[in-house]
Amino acid sequence: MFYQPGKTHHHLPFDPFKACVVPRPIGWISTTSPLTSSCPSPQPIHNLAPFSQFTNLSFDPPYVMFAANQTPEGSKKDTVRNVESTAKFVWNLATWDLREKVNASAQQVPFEVDEFEHVGLEKEFSSCLPGDDENPVPMVKESPVKFECSYHSTLRLPGVSAMGGVDLVIGKVEGVHIADWALSRGGKLDIGKTKPIARCGYYEYVVLDKTFEMVIPGGDRAILAGLEGNAEQSMLQPPLRQSLRLFKRLARGSLGTSVATRAFSSTSSPASMKLLYPTSLVLDPAKITGFPTLTLHPYDVKSPTLPTEHHDAEVLVTWANSKDNLTYAVENLKDLKWIQSLAAGPNDVLSAGFDASKVKITTGSGLHDNTVAEHALGLLLNAARRFYEMRDYQLQGKWPGHLGGPQPDREKGTFRTLRDARVTIWGFGNIAKSLTPHLLALGATVKGLARSKGVRDGIEVFGEDSLEEILKETDALVMILPGDASTKHALNKERLGYLPNHAWVVNVGRGTSIDEDALFEALEGEQIGGAALDVFETEPLPEGNKLYGAKNLILSPHAAGGRPQGAEELIVENLRKFLGGQELKNII
């Protein structure tokens, strides 16, 4: 048999996909809620839940991951929220003896319910993770193997349904607990003693209690050590190996009933760091947690000054700041090291005088993808179905009979529907990738235009050397170009002439990418079908501007974006990278 998920049916009584990937280790993940004022309880709430998509990713250093599908409402699981808020979690080995409690902990219960107490498990606590002195992570005491993990990152994979979306959480293993009784005389972890359970398909599990061994023929010592997962043997020279063995013998004698390894750092703890965040949008400070040395302070983006007590801020988050506010920040925030703009581009920050060679500047690219894609889709539908013209007739008290009743279906040389329409997206970045699935769902044929050709998310993207050819075969041109010198008047009089006279132009990128005088002439001369613009060379568009009266022109007041989504997640991700000395996301 053969089937394509989401396209063709398998014609089986049960979906076989998960049953094909077996056995899958169980990520029995324990977490704690953050100690914040937004927490429903003054004490941290402990959480325990099993995830059937879990594995290790590497061994030097060791990383693990678990994947948590979203709730039926499309929101993050409590486990994921806790991990991202506290920057830590613990993996507990799920065993045959604990199988019933593993299953019981999968029950969906309110956030305030402690699953340890709910299923009757005894706790012990992590000791080598950030903030453990005040808020350690609970661990399943009865479990023979436990990993203390620091949070690394979350990768969100989109789903067709709400529950199909998944958060893939990656953690670095900082400490390993192994019960002495689980080790063989030869010093190996004995699964015959621990009897791990794993997930199969449907409602099925398997218990692992037998192994067999195969060694790759011809492998040298380092390769075999790598296959074993032995970082020390694969990298260390013999004298260092002897020193490490001596250290482990000494450590084992002092750790009693468990064998533990930790990651040590010679660096001292960083000093307190101040972050200023804007009140121009609703940001949840409780989501920007996991940084013991960080303090958060709101500020008014429209004020011409900033409080003097905040002049020592090292991080500035900006959104819709006034020019005076940013200019004041340039002159007075002398300790500033990084600006996180929530806008798609850095124009306002750079225009104020910030020097990207002296201060790190990152943008909010990606935060506006869905809202801009939705707006572009709305403009396309408005153009195709003539809603703007119906509104004009309504205001005149007239019945637009020519737009109702029987209509030609997909008449050649018209743009009246997205079904079978040839839509070209010029500037094929993240917004285009968000828009494309909606266009395809409505039956459009989509092509891309960009500086370099290739295939992106299944869509053929042509280079600008094919621009004339592509524009001549376009019913609707969606422009999502950035605003820089290379894109100024990219759509000029000559290129407007390539478009069929029924084609529409939609611009949700930057106003400077269109020669507005040439566009006005094309509209008045009916050389194109129409245009829908959300951005302009001068904003606000001055009163009396000729574009207000142009034929078949839909204007929207730079309304496509303006609602950053996922700002807290971006700030947290870049904070971790900033503190870790890594390359920041969306850095210019």
Side-chain angles (χ1 to χ4, degrees):
M1 65 166 290
F2 172 76
Y3 75 100
Q4 294 179 276
K7 295 182 179 180
T8 60
H9 202 273
H10 47 69
H11 298 298
L12 296 173
F14 302 98
D15 194 312
F17 175 72
K18 285 191 174 182
C20 296
V21 186
V22 295
R24 299 189 307 279
I26 295 173
W28 203 14
I29 306 298
S30 53
T31 59
T32 180
S33 66
L35 291 173
T36 65
S37 58
S38 64
C39 185
S41 169
Q43 297 299 320
I45 298 170
H46 296 154
N47 180 277
L48 178 66
F51 298 89
S52 68
Q53 292 151 152
F54 167 87
T55 191
N56 66 299
L57 296 174
S58 182
F59 69 95
D60 186 23
Y63 284 90
V64 296
M65 56 96 9
F66 68 91
N69 287 84
Q70 295 175 32
T71 67
E73 295 76 30
S75 59
K76 293 180 179 180
K77 293 280 182 67
D78 292 339
T79 298
V80 177
R81 293 184 183 278
N82 283 347
V83 172
E84 293 179 340
S85 297
T86 63
K88 55 188 178 180
F89 64 93
V90 168
W91 169 77
N92 307 271
L93 179 67
T95 67
W96 171 257
D97 291 339
L98 294 171
R99 65 191 182 281
E100 295 296 343
K101 293 184 178 181
V102 172
N103 189 44
S105 67
Q107 182 181 357
Q108 297 293 312
V109 296
F111 176 78
E112 294 79 10
V113 175
D114 183 325
E115 282 87 355
F116 284 83
E117 297 176 359
H118 183 66
V119 303
L121 284 168
E122 192 175 350
K123 301 173 186 175
E124 56 186 359
F125 292 91
S126 61
S127 58
C128 69
L129 298 176
D132 274 355
D133 291 343
E134 295 184 353
N135 188 18
V137 181
M139 306 189 296
V140 178
K141 186 173 183 178
E142 298 93 327
S143 178
V145 183
K146 295 172 277 284
F147 292 170
E148 297 186 32
C149 304
S150 61
Y151 171 64
H152 179 273
S153 58
T154 302
L155 172 65
R156 170 160 289 191
L157 303 180
V160 176
S161 64
M163 289 186 68
V166 65
D167 292 303
L168 193 157
V169 179
I170 299 173
K172 181 182 178 184
V173 179
E174 305 285 359
V176 178
H177 300 262
I178 303 174
D180 287 342
W181 62 261
L183 297 170
S184 70
R185 289 186 177 181
K188 291 183 177 180
L189 185 61
D190 189 342
I191 70 167
K193 295 179 178 179
T194 59
K195 295 184 180 179
I197 58 173
R199 283 289 279 121
C200 298
Y202 321 116
Y203 299 114
E204 297 171 354
Y205 291 75
V206 65
V207 59
L208 306 175
D209 55 7
K210 293 182 181 179
T211 63
F212 64 94
E213 190 172 276
M214 293 191 297
V215 179
I216 295 178
D220 63 26
R221 188 171 182 180
I223 291 175
L224 294 178
L227 292 171
E228 176 193 340
N230 191 325
E232 297 94 18
Q233 292 297 322
S234 64
M235 294 187 64
L236 295 180
Q237 297 300 316
L240 292 178
R241 290 178 186 153
Q242 293 170 7
S243 298
L244 187 62
R245 282 196 293 268
L246 175 61
F247 169 78
K248 284 188 172 180
R249 284 199 296 270
L250 293 171
R252 189 174 293 117
S254 64
L255 289 174
T257 59
S258 66
V259 178
T261 61
R262 295 187 186 181
F264 292 91
S265 173
S266 61
T267 60
S268 59
S269 299
S272 178
M273 183 174 69
K274 183 179 290 185
L275 178 149
L276 304 185
Y277 67 91
T279 56
S280 48
L281 77 166
V282 179
L283 278 178
D284 185 358
K287 294 182 179 179
I288 308 174
T289 57
F291 307 95
T293 62
L294 182 71
T295 59
L296 306 176
H297 307 271
Y299 75 99
D300 181 2
V301 300
K302 301 303 181 184
S303 171
T305 65
L306 291 167
T308 55
E309 64 266 27
H310 295 329
H311 284 189
D312 58 344
E314 296 181 52
V315 183
L316 179 68
V317 180
T318 66
W319 173 247
N321 296 56
S322 68
K323 182 178 179 181
D324 289 343
N325 182 270
L326 289 176
T327 301
Y328 184 90
V330 172
E331 296 171 352
N332 293 277
L333 301 190
K334 300 303 182 182
D335 295 329
L336 198 63
K337 295 182 174 62
W338 163 40
I339 298 172
Q340 173 64 69
S341 170
L342 301 182
N347 296 357
D348 58 341
V349 173
L350 295 177
S351 298
F354 282 107
D355 186 346
S357 67
K358 298 178 180 178
V359 178
K360 296 180 186 293
I361 301 174
T362 53
T363 72
S365 176
L367 302 183
H368 306 270
D369 296 351
N370 292 326
T371 56
V372 176
E374 183 180 78
H375 199 83
L377 179 62
L379 293 176
L380 285 167
L381 289 169
N382 192 345
R385 303 313 296 262
R386 298 299 191 270
F387 298 140
Y388 68 94
E389 191 174 349
M390 296 176 189
R391 177 66 174 174
D392 288 344
Y393 269 73
Q394 177 186 341
L395 293 176
Q396 298 174 47
K398 297 180 180 179
W399 180 257
H402 65 291
L403 298 175
Q407 300 285 324
D409 180 30
R410 288 165 283 180
E411 185 178 13
K412 188 175 181 181
T414 63
F415 178 52
R416 294 289 185 271
T417 175
L418 282 174
R419 186 170 181 81
D420 295 331
R422 300 166 299 177
V423 179
T424 298
I425 303 178
W426 192 357
F428 208 90
N430 290 332
I431 295 172
K433 292 175 184 177
S434 296
L435 173 62
T436 296
H438 300 292
L439 297 175
L440 296 176
L442 291 171
T445 299
V446 180
K447 293 180 180 178
L449 272 174
R451 289 190 177 95
S452 58
K453 64 182 180 179
V455 177
R456 303 179 191 175
D457 283 18
I459 300 298
E460 186 170 8
V461 178
F462 295 83
E464 293 183 352
D465 55 347
S466 302
L467 188 144
E468 179 179 354
E469 174 189 350
I470 297 301
L471 292 186
K472 287 181 176 180
E473 299 296 323
T474 294
D475 297 315
L477 173 65
V478 181
M479 301 187 64
I480 320 178
L481 291 170
D484 56 38
S486 68
T487 63
K488 184 174 177 60
H489 291 181
L491 187 62
N492 54 24
K493 182 174 182 178
E494 178 186 2
R495 290 169 173 174
L496 280 163
Y498 298 152
L499 291 167
N501 59 13
H502 68 274
W504 272 70
V505 175
V506 173
N507 190 10
V508 291
R510 288 290 181 265
T512 55
S513 64
I514 294 181
D515 182 339
E516 292 178 354
D517 289 333
L519 177 67
F520 179 80
E521 291 179 9
L523 291 168
E524 291 297 297
E526 298 183 358
Q527 297 169 17
I528 61 173
L533 308 180
D534 183 59
V535 288
F536 305 89
E537 290 197 73
T538 301
E539 294 183 2
L541 190 65
E543 289 186 20
N545 188 286
K546 60 187 176 182
L547 288 178
Y548 283 114
K551 292 180 181 178
N552 294 334
L553 179 62
I554 302 169
L555 303 183
S556 69
H558 205 139
R563 289 156 291 232
Q565 297 177 343
E568 294 94 344
E569 287 84 352
L570 177 61
I571 294 169
V572 167
E573 179 179 351
N574 267 344
L575 270 171
R576 298 194 190 289
K577 292 181 177 181
F578 179 74
L579 293 173
Q582 301 173 353
E583 180 80 1
L584 302 183
K585 185 176 182 179
N586 299 339
I587 192 166
I588 66 170

